[in-house]
Structure formats: structure tokens, C-alpha cells
Amino acid sequence: GIRDDLVTGVQTCALPILAIENKENHLLFKFLLGKIYMANGDSQMAINHFHQFLYSTSSSEYYIDKPFLIEAYGFLIELLYKNGSFDEIAKIEMDLSDNLRYTSNNYNTVFSITYFYIGAALLNTGDLNNGLYYLIKSKRESSSVNLKTVINGIIDRVENSL
């Protein structure tokens, strides 16, 4: 079962077993399982656990620190993008903007990549205005010259297609 799969994938670490055994006791174990599955290349299980984590936090008696939420949204959006689930990203984008009005410079790198995936996904759904909005946000918050070059290329292609 799931437990055996995780143990096989991560022989030297008891963390997956600990997380599986405690995932109903505290939400952070769902987050941890999402990261473990992502690291092991099981994107569907990672998506499931990040969803469970994020959508359980609103009804939880536990306080979850913003960094965990930011990371979970970032990983979930990246995985969905790589799976081509652009419509689902469009739905999550609304939750993200409602739940994470966070302006700390500590998260610019995470946000710049997340905004890139959101912008590209929205362009893929035909939502050019919001797609370009997120790509420009990504470009402004990123310190990566490569990411800015990619974004400029996408923006140029969108402008040329209009």
C-alpha cells in the first residue's frame, strides 16, 4: 500500500511513515506528505495532499504559519501547471489572492515563480488580461534574469498575436 511505497522510495528516512501515521492529527503532516510525494515524483499524490492541506486549513483549529501556506500554494500551482491543469490554477488563483495578501520581501522568489505559473496558465485558458497581469507581477518580483527573459518573450508573442 501507500506506506510500503513510501518506505521503498525513501529507505533511510522514517519521516514518511511518521507523516502518514499522523496526517489526521495535525495538518502539517499533510503538507509534509505533499512535499515527500513531490520529491519522489508522484505528482498526483502530491497534488492530493497539498489540496487536503490547503482546504483543511480554513476549518482547522490549528494556526498555520503563512510560510507553509505560501509554499503549499506554490508547489500545488507548479504541479498543476506541469500536469496541464490550467483551469484548476485559474480557480486556485482566486483563493491565493484572497488568502495570501503577504508583502514580505522574503517571499519574492516563491511568489515570482508562482505568479509565472499562474500567468502562463491563465494565458493557456484564454484569459489574456489576467495572464499578462501575473506575468508582469512575476517579472517585477523576480531577481532571475532568465525568468525575466522568458516572460519578455511570452509577452512579445502575446502582443504580436493581438
Side-chain angles (χ1 to χ4, degrees), residues 15-33:
L15 211 48
I17 295 169
L18 180 67
I20 289 170
E21 289 174 351
N22 289 287
K23 73 178 182 177
E24 301 309 320
N25 297 332
H26 197 289
L27 290 176
L28 287 179
F29 286 107
K30 292 178 184 180
F31 170 77
L32 182 60
L33 279 170

Side-chain angles (χ1 to χ4, degrees), residues 145-157:
V145 174
N146 290 340
L147 182 60
K148 290 179 180 190
T149 302
V150 168
I151 292 170
N152 285 337
I154 293 170
I155 291 171
D156 288 346
R157 283 197 300 280

Side-chain angles (χ1 to χ4, degrees), residues 81 115-124 128 131-136 138-139 146-162:
Y81 183 85
Y115 290 152
F116 171 78
Y117 284 125
I118 292 171
L122 291 172
L123 289 179
N124 277 298
L128 298 183
L132 290 171
Y133 167 79
Y134 277 102
L135 287 177
I136 291 168
S138 172
K139 185 176 157 183
N146 290 340
L147 182 60
K148 290 179 180 190
T149 302
V150 168
I151 292 170
N152 285 337
I154 293 170
I155 291 171
D156 288 346
R157 283 197 300 280
V158 170
E159 286 176 346
N160 292 334
S161 70
L162 298 177

